[in-house]
Amino acid sequence: SFDKTSHGTESFIMNSTADHSDANKKQPILKVAVPIPLFGSFDYLIPESLRHQRFTPGCRVEVPFGRRTAIGVILGQTGHSDLAVNKLKAINALIDTEAVLDSRILDLLGWASSYYLHPIGEVVQTALPSLLRQGKAAEASAIKAWKTTDGTSADDLETLNRAAKQKHILQILLNHPEGLGEAYLNDNHPNWRNAMKALLEKGLAVCTERASLPEAHPVSTQAPSLNEEQQQAIAAIGRDLNQHHIHLLHGVTGSGKTEVYLALSERVIASGKQVLVLVPEISLTPQLTERFEQRMGCPIAVLHSGLNDQQRLSAWVAASSGHARLIIGTRSAIFTPLPDLGLILVDEEHDGSYKQQEGFRYNARDLALVRSQKENIPVVLGSATPSLESLHNVNRQRFQIHTLKKRARTQSITKIKLLDMCSQPIKEGLSAALLDKVDEHLKLGNQVILFLNRRGFSPLLMCHSCGWMTRCKRCDANMTYHKHKQQLHCHHCGAESRSPTSCGDCGSEELLAIGTGTERIEEFLSERFPDTHINRIDRNTARRKDALEDKLQQTHAGCASILVGTQMLAKGHDFPNVTLVGVLDTDQALYSADFRAAEHLAQLIIQVSGRAGRAEKPGEVLIQTHHPDHPLLQTLLHQGYEKFAESALIERQQAGFPPHKHLVLLRCGAIHKDLGMLFMREARELANSYQASEVEIFGPWPAPMEKRAGRFRTQTMLQSNDRKALHQLLRQWLPRLQQLKSSKQVRWSIDVDPYDTF
Ligand code: ADP
Ligand code: ZN
Ligand code: ZN
């Protein structure tokens, strides 16, 4: 089956004009995107009773589907159907009178559906807030406000001399002609309701409702005077804001990229247009949102996963109605309808979270390029460590690069040094040399970040008598030991269990925690530095958004002296008092099977380095490794990120990996290994049969982690220089794959431009 549920063979109904029989004439037929994992749109009739309505593309309809009803989106109208008219069902209802998705978004969604080979119904869903998927009205929630009626004045207070409470409330309303909300009244004037009710009855006050749309923030901070590099970038990008251009803003952390975003946004908004800012993860970049709010003086809508459904709908309505002029959002915000879109900014464009890794596997960064082309507007990709794809496009002169080399506020340069771990005494993953350094920086009253991309206490428990290990039953992986919770977690399938007190094989009670995770380091450090405040930041400690914010506040306030954390720490935050960053484990990434591992490691090292020494204190970065001579590390440290990227691009070329060649991965997971292999072999044979000489086909082979969540995983890889040829093959291949009997017994998916090959 494709991803989730099983496919029928009749399912591949692509928009077709095949049937010309008389019976099909004149009946208007709606093409509807229905949210199910089947390809193509579905044809529906319009019942007599609704014929007078207008069926604009982008309006939602309720339709019968199988034995249930579904909410779909009209894609278009036609006079023909592949199916006989008497086989077609009629829609139940038209939900919208005006399109919720405008034609430009429908166009983008259609493009994405065919590029990523994902069913249009599910693609269209991605663009809708969940309340709209459920068929709710496309309106922002209303908030109530109370104010005085026209003509009410201070004179009326005299009439209330015998009702002190009413008089008091009326006085307050007179002081606030703009009206007061429930929240304010509750907080400041408990028991206001009865008095208000009386005022309403006397006609002195009214209750109004207005949509809870974001309001313009008063501008509260001024722009610094921009330096030469910033001015040049702004001038170059600003030279032509009325056409499609792709810009790459490459600036070291702290070089003032955000100031460039702000200046460009101001211009675009002043010219009457909207700006869309994409960020990888909002909870990790609250500072960015705040800066836009403090500086832009226009209504800003923020779209992120921390909102409840109602808030999300309100923000979406604010954006798509044109009320909000600047929209900040994560991945899926790329699909927000924006009537006046004039500029797209993609911050931290190299970040992997722009790629959705399941279901509809799109890349929001890449779709930003497509959207900007379709809408004929500029797009700016920003990063301190641009992706190899983007640098490749600069080399091919598809992107225009603008470089900010200097930090805006400090001249200090962070020194990056390698710490050779070979034959060094090591305690819990920390070399003696690094510990001495930590000591040194703490004594100066500074903060230290230790970075390790592994959560938990230790990656496994092992029996000291017989070697038994805490394996996950459903994955080819060990279960991570979380000591504080006394639990084992599988970080691959999410399985959890209580941690054992004895060996599962021989019963021995001597279990060893092997290896080091952030929790263990935290424990070790609190023994080693008992008077120092230690803060751990990872998905376990910062699950709730406010927990993360609390921790960051503490850190900014300077109370925490050592921060231990995973890659969450490398993103977006400034830690002005941090003067030492230690990267604990690099060796794994140096020898990983993932073709992007080297790129990620280099980005991580540069990004964490950027967190240190941002204020007046110079920073120092120490990288622990057993391979200090590794060419990747040598190039990165001695020649910088650009040179590293150059040599990494050459390696990619030699290996035939993106961006030089395009990849498509057919993935399959099966309860029984043989079923997976059978499907994959048949799939491969089909692919071979098209004799597309420009496309190389590799596999099937087992995935690097063969078993995950109880399924055996195999993959087949398609590789080509020629994107057209690749897509041509895919378009023939996919419908045939669905028809394979063997496809019904496995879960499979197609990943166009996969982020990794796991
Ligand atoms: P980036 O986005 O590249 O990390 P920011 O725009 O956040 O950099 O700038 C880093 C810090 O320097 C911020 O505190 C910002 O206010 C400040 N800054 C940026 N540009 C200037 C400038 N031209 N003059 C003074 N301070 C600046
Ligand atoms: Zn597992
Ligand atoms: Zn044992």
Side-chain angles (χ1 to χ4, degrees):
S1 69
F2 185 83
D3 242 8
K4 295 191 203 75
T5 50
S6 104
H7 282 251
T9 42
E10 79 290 340
S11 62
F12 204 79
I13 311 171
M14 274 301 193
N15 298 342
S16 145
T17 51
D19 197 323
H20 298 286
S21 69
D22 282 351
N24 281 0
K25 271 208 185 112
K26 293 204 187 78
Q27 271 270 44
I29 290 161
L30 294 176
K31 299 250 164 233
V32 180
V34 183
I36 43 155
L38 298 181
F39 283 86
S41 56
F42 291 82
D43 295 349
Y44 285 93
L45 300 172
I46 302 172
E48 206 68 55
S49 58
L50 296 177
R51 290 272 163 86
H52 61 284
Q53 304 261 34
R54 283 187 53 205
F55 290 85
T56 317
C59 287
R60 291 168 300 158
V61 284
E62 192 195 288
V63 296
F65 197 89
R67 266 181 274 161
R68 59 191 179 92
T69 60
I71 308 290
V73 173
I74 301 172
L75 297 179
Q77 262 190 53
T78 154
H80 320 278
S81 176
D82 265 4
L83 302 173
V85 165
N86 58 14
K87 292 256 172 69
L88 295 180
K89 293 186 182 161
I91 63 162
N92 296 341
L94 175 67
I95 297 173
D96 303 300
T97 49
E98 274 175 52
V100 289
L101 298 174
D102 63 35
S103 59
R104 281 175 295 178
I105 287 300
L106 288 179
D107 182 36
L108 181 68
L109 294 169
W111 188 93
S113 165
S114 73
Y115 182 82
Y116 292 106
L117 292 126
H118 199 78
I120 185 70
E122 291 196 336
V123 169
V124 167
Q125 287 294 294
T126 313
L128 294 175
S130 72
L131 289 178
L132 295 190
R133 283 180 227 161
Q134 295 160 27
K136 300 275 167 26
E139 295 166 352
S141 57
I143 47 177
K144 286 184 176 168
W146 283 265
K147 51 172 140 188
T148 53
T149 43
D150 288 345
T152 302
S153 71
D155 297 346
D156 295 302
L157 291 169
E158 300 305 315
T159 65
L160 297 172
N161 279 337
R162 289 178 36 213
K165 184 87 193 173
Q166 291 173 37
K167 186 173 177 180
H168 178 61
I169 296 289
L170 184 61
Q171 181 66 65
I172 289 157
L173 291 182
L174 286 166
N175 294 343
H176 291 274
E178 74 281 7
L180 289 172
E182 215 153 356
Y184 178 91
L185 290 163
N186 284 337
D187 285 354
N188 296 289
H189 306 283
N191 311 323
W192 57 277
R193 281 184 194 276
N194 280 338
M196 189 70 80
K197 201 171 155 216
L199 292 176
L200 294 179
E201 280 163 9
K202 292 176 182 163
L204 294 170
V206 285
C207 174
T208 58
E209 285 199 6
R210 62 174 177 76
S212 64
L213 295 175
E215 305 198 15
H217 288 257
V219 173
S220 60
T221 59
Q222 292 303 315
S225 53
L226 299 176
N227 64 36
E228 187 77 22
E229 288 182 330
Q230 287 170 318
Q231 287 178 20
Q232 275 173 10
I234 293 164
I237 299 169
R239 202 161 290 141
D240 188 0
L241 291 172
N242 293 317
Q243 267 192 54
H244 174 61
H245 282 290
I246 306 175
H247 301 278
L248 178 66
L249 182 61
H250 179 193
V252 300
T253 313
S255 61
K257 290 185 295 298
T258 310
E259 290 300 331
V260 175
Y261 300 156
L262 287 162
L264 291 169
S265 301
E266 268 167 13
R267 272 207 218 176
V268 170
I269 290 168
S271 74
K273 295 186 180 151
Q274 289 173 294
V275 175
L276 172 63
V277 185
L278 292 182
V279 294
E281 252 175 290
I282 294 210
S283 64
L284 301 182
T285 53
Q287 290 158 332
L288 184 81
T289 310
E290 224 166 83
R291 273 170 76 185
F292 274 98
E293 285 176 346
Q294 287 166 354
R295 288 275 290 284
M296 294 310 297
C298 70
I300 294 179
V302 185
L303 288 158
H304 62 88
S305 56
L307 302 176
N308 67 32
D309 288 352
Q310 193 59 59
Q311 291 168 325
R312 196 176 174 82
L313 178 60
S314 292
W316 189 88
V317 167
S320 63
S321 65
H323 175 83
R325 305 313 290 173
L326 188 119
I327 294 84
I328 302 181
T330 43
R331 192 168 58 211
S332 66
I334 189 59
F335 298 118
T336 316
L338 297 166
D340 310 314
L341 184 59
L343 173 68
I344 307 179
L345 302 169
V346 184
D347 191 31
E348 309 288 356
E349 66 90 23
H350 64 279
D351 198 290
S353 52
Y354 285 122
K355 169 84 179 178
Q356 177 140 305
Q357 305 264 32
E358 57 197 24
F360 172 29
R361 293 170 164 80
Y362 66 97
N363 185 320
R365 190 255 331 257
D366 296 345
L367 285 176
L369 305 181
V370 175
R371 184 166 184 184
S372 70
Q373 190 187 23
K374 285 180 177 294
E375 308 214 9
N376 196 26
I377 56 167
V379 55
V380 178
L381 308 179
S383 177
T385 53
S387 62
L388 295 186
E389 275 89 348
S390 293
L391 290 171
H392 181 60
N393 279 317
V394 171
N395 294 340
R396 295 195 304 165
Q397 301 183 333
R398 298 211 170 168
F399 296 5
Q400 190 184 348
I401 189 166
H402 312 273
T403 313
L404 308 180
K405 291 207 169 66
K406 288 196 293 282
R407 286 187 165 190
R409 287 219 294 210
T410 154
Q411 299 309 312
S412 74
I413 296 177
T414 308
K415 276 181 295 177
I416 308 182
K417 276 193 276 182
L418 296 175
L419 258 183
D420 186 353
M421 297 277 277
C422 294
S423 323
Q424 274 235 25
I426 298 173
K427 277 187 199 135
E428 311 298 5
L430 292 152
S431 65
L434 181 57
L435 279 173
D436 286 348
K437 275 288 183 187
V438 173
D439 220 4
E440 200 179 289
H441 282 256
L442 291 178
K443 287 212 172 94
L444 293 170
N446 296 331
Q447 297 182 332
V448 173
I449 291 182
L450 296 176
F451 181 87
L452 176 68
N453 222 358
R454 203 182 299 125
R455 293 181 288 126
F457 188 81
S458 69
L460 74 152
L461 288 177
M462 187 189 280
C463 171
H464 192 41
S465 319
C466 75
W468 172 85
M469 294 187 285
T470 49
R471 297 288 288 173
C472 176
K473 289 194 185 68
R474 309 169 67 219
C475 303
D476 287 332
N478 294 315
M479 292 189 76
T480 304
Y481 175 46
H482 289 256
K483 185 175 176 183
H484 177 71
K485 285 191 171 164
Q486 282 298 304
Q487 280 183 337
L488 295 177
H489 290 186
C490 174
H491 290 177
H492 303 282
C493 71
E496 288 185 11
S497 58
R498 279 203 67 74
S499 55
T501 50
S502 59
C503 171
D505 244 11
C506 74
S508 158
E509 285 179 11
E510 225 179 321
L511 296 180
L512 307 175
I514 306 287
T516 312
T518 47
E519 190 187 347
R520 186 170 205 165
I521 294 188
E522 181 190 27
E523 186 183 283
F524 168 71
L525 291 172
S526 33
E527 284 161 19
R528 177 73 164 62
F529 303 103
D531 304 323
T532 302
H533 199 100
I534 294 163
N535 231 332
R536 171 160 63 96
I537 296 189
D538 57 31
R539 298 256 171 235
N540 293 103
T541 62
R543 192 154 285 177
R544 287 177 308 117
K545 184 166 167 281
D546 38 338
L548 176 64
E549 258 158 39
D550 281 356
K551 281 179 181 279
L552 292 171
Q553 289 278 293
Q554 289 170 21
T555 311
H556 288 297
C559 357
S561 290
I562 305 182
L563 266 170
V564 183
T566 57
Q567 65 186 8
M568 285 179 95
L569 275 181
K571 296 192 184 186
H573 294 286
D574 299 343
F575 299 105
N577 295 314
V578 169
T579 54
L580 173 66
V581 175
V583 180
L584 301 191
D585 184 16
T586 47
D587 293 342
Q588 214 178 347
L590 289 176
Y591 294 98
S592 162
D594 177 6
F595 73 93
R596 281 186 216 271
E599 180 184 355
H600 289 165
L601 178 62
Q603 288 167 341
L604 181 82
I605 289 173
I606 302 299
Q607 294 277 343
V608 285
S609 313
R611 304 294 148 221
R614 294 201 69 165
E616 275 51 55
K617 302 172 179 174
E620 182 172 19
V621 176
L622 295 175
I623 296 170
Q624 296 196 138
T625 175
H626 286 91
H627 303 274
D629 297 329
H630 196 286
L632 183 161
L633 293 174
Q634 286 298 325
T635 313
L636 184 66
L637 265 56
H638 298 299
Q639 301 178 60
Y641 185 78
E642 290 85 344
K643 279 278 180 264
F644 154 78
E646 260 175 46
S647 52
L649 274 169
I650 293 170
E651 275 180 30
R652 293 268 185 97
Q653 181 161 30
Q654 286 161 350
F657 276 119
H660 291 280
K661 287 203 176 172
H662 310 297
L663 292 189
V664 171
L665 211 57
L666 173 66
R667 290 194 178 88
C668 164
I671 308 273
H672 301 289
K673 205 168 171 170
D674 297 345
L675 289 178
M677 266 305 176
L678 175 68
F679 166 69
M680 281 303 225
R681 273 199 300 271
E682 291 182 1
R684 159 106 210 209
E685 267 166 40
L686 268 175
N688 285 344
S689 72
Y690 301 120
Q691 300 191 335
S693 56
E694 305 86 350
V695 181
E696 289 180 277
I697 307 166
F698 300 95
W701 52 48
M705 181 188 291
E706 186 174 8
K707 194 173 152 205
R708 184 148 105 194
R711 286 175 186 269
F712 291 91
R713 300 153 71 238
T714 41
Q715 42 188 244
T716 295
M717 192 160 76
L718 274 54
Q719 207 174 42
S720 182
N721 281 322
D722 184 342
R723 204 178 270 293
K724 275 215 185 87
L726 195 54
H727 266 82
Q728 207 170 8
L729 189 155
L730 290 175
R731 269 191 281 275
Q732 294 173 285
W733 198 33
L734 198 67
R736 299 288 304 278
L737 289 180
Q738 293 179 314
Q739 290 165 1
L740 289 177
K741 263 214 184 92
S742 56
S743 81
K744 312 283 192 277
Q745 289 157 312
V746 299
R747 269 188 206 169
W748 57 276
S749 65
I750 294 260
D751 194 348
V752 178
D753 305 335
Y755 195 68
D756 59 43
T757 53
F758 283 80

